[in-house]
Amino acid sequence: MSADLFAPEQQDDDEISTTGPSPFGEARFVVSSKGQRAIATIRAPDALVRGVATQYLDGEQPEPRAALVMDFDAKTISIFPQLIYFSDRLYGQKYRSIREIEIPLPEQSKMPTDHFGVVSIMREIPNGFIKDPSFGLGFVKEMRPLINSIEKINGVSCLIISERENTRVESNRFYLNMEEYLSLRNGMNRIARLHQAESLVERELMAHNASIHKARPDLFEFKERPYKPGTVFKLLGGTKTA
């Protein structure tokens, strides 16, 4: 990619919530084109940009930078995850060292000319990715361990997910086979659903004991979490053997 597409690299790494709408409004994609490449920047809400400029930048508004490069010759999308929230790092690099994630361009994609054209393409990319520009793109929080793992390899700045490549490291690129990515994503989703269900049980027990048991212990007994077979075994560090 051309160096003029990027802002200076940011080294810090914040975890950004993607659980609700921004109080400043929604961000939008702004599209330009260079030959068979469509380049989309994220334009943060005007109120957010003005607030950041006033609070941190002596009135100078931060400049958006490329968030997506859709290459219709190579049939790829390059994603450049960014920070879209109230901070002096607005539009800065989201992850510590991974600055680019390349994935296949969905089949039947058409060259976008506006925000809605980009949104249409983003809807078709694999699950596991943030598709809303208001949250700066990149991976959803359940997939964050993938970034954390890859960033343990010094010098890697680009993650390429491809159906044609085997999982390996070459120079500053980490290649991840698409089939392996999809398997990992499904596994992460299963783990997240399991923990959500277990968390709900824990919260219901805590609510019961702190409210109706506390007020009327004669009617509502103290509840404890049911014992699950293997719990002590796991706590003691046991593993299954063949």
Side-chain angles (χ1 to χ4, degrees):
M1 295 295 174
S2 174
D4 63 355
L5 294 177
F6 311 109
E9 183 171 319
Q10 299 288 330
Q11 293 301 321
D12 295 328
D13 187 16
D14 287 349
E15 186 73 28
I16 306 304
S17 172
T18 59
T19 57
S22 166
F24 297 98
E26 296 182 356
R28 297 179 65 83
F29 291 114
V30 177
V31 184
S32 61
S33 61
K34 292 182 179 179
Q36 288 299 302
R37 294 193 304 169
I39 302 165
T41 60
I42 295 176
R43 177 65 187 181
D46 289 342
L48 173 57
V49 174
R50 288 194 301 267
V52 168
T54 301
Q55 181 73 21
Y56 299 110
L57 305 175
D58 296 325
E60 182 176 351
Q61 294 192 359
E63 286 295 324
R65 63 189 187 94
L68 293 168
V69 177
M70 292 152 279
D71 191 324
F72 284 79
D73 282 334
K75 305 297 183 185
T76 60
I77 301 178
S78 288
I79 303 170
F80 303 95
Q82 329 184 341
L83 302 174
I84 306 295
Y85 74 116
F86 193 86
S87 164
D88 59 344
R89 297 174 58 208
L90 178 63
Y91 299 130
Q93 181 174 310
K94 178 179 285 189
Y95 303 130
R96 180 177 58 82
S97 58
I98 298 296
R99 62 185 306 197
E100 176 182 0
I101 303 168
E102 181 184 291
I103 61 175
L105 182 71
E107 295 183 6
Q108 311 304 321
S109 295
K110 296 181 179 179
M111 178 75 74
T113 58
D114 58 18
H115 167 81
F116 298 104
V118 178
V119 168
S120 178
I121 291 175
M122 293 300 288
R123 285 175 179 163
E124 301 302 319
I125 70 173
N127 289 332
F129 289 92
I130 298 170
K131 305 177 183 184
D132 185 342
S134 295
F135 300 115
L137 309 181
F139 287 109
V140 298
K141 63 182 180 180
E142 289 81 5
M143 293 298 297
R144 182 57 181 266
L146 175 59
I147 288 291
N148 294 342
S149 294
I150 294 173
E151 289 191 325
K152 293 177 182 177
I153 303 176
N154 292 331
V156 173
S157 60
C158 178
L159 167 60
I160 299 174
I161 302 175
S162 172
E163 298 171 348
R164 301 188 302 270
E165 302 287 352
N166 295 322
T167 298
R168 66 187 192 280
V169 182
E170 282 188 11
S171 185
N172 69 328
R173 296 178 174 87
F174 188 99
Y175 293 87
L176 180 61
N177 178 264
M178 176 62 79
E179 185 174 330
E180 293 181 358
Y181 167 76
L182 296 176
S183 177
L184 173 64
R185 183 203 68 196
N186 291 338
M188 292 288 196
N189 287 343
R190 284 195 298 270
I191 292 171
R193 287 195 297 269
L194 174 62
H195 281 242
Q196 287 171 355
E198 291 181 344
S199 172
L200 178 59
V201 171
E202 295 280 5
R203 285 181 282 128
E204 287 178 341
L205 288 175
M206 290 180 66
H208 170 92
N209 293 334
S211 57
I212 58 177
H213 166 71
K214 190 78 172 179
R216 294 297 305 272
D218 54 321
L219 294 179
F220 301 98
E221 295 182 354
F222 183 85
K223 287 187 175 183
E224 296 183 5
R225 186 175 183 179
Y227 172 76
K228 293 176 64 177
T231 299
V232 174
F233 180 72
K234 292 177 182 177
L235 288 174
L236 294 177
T239 58
K240 289 186 176 181
T241 57

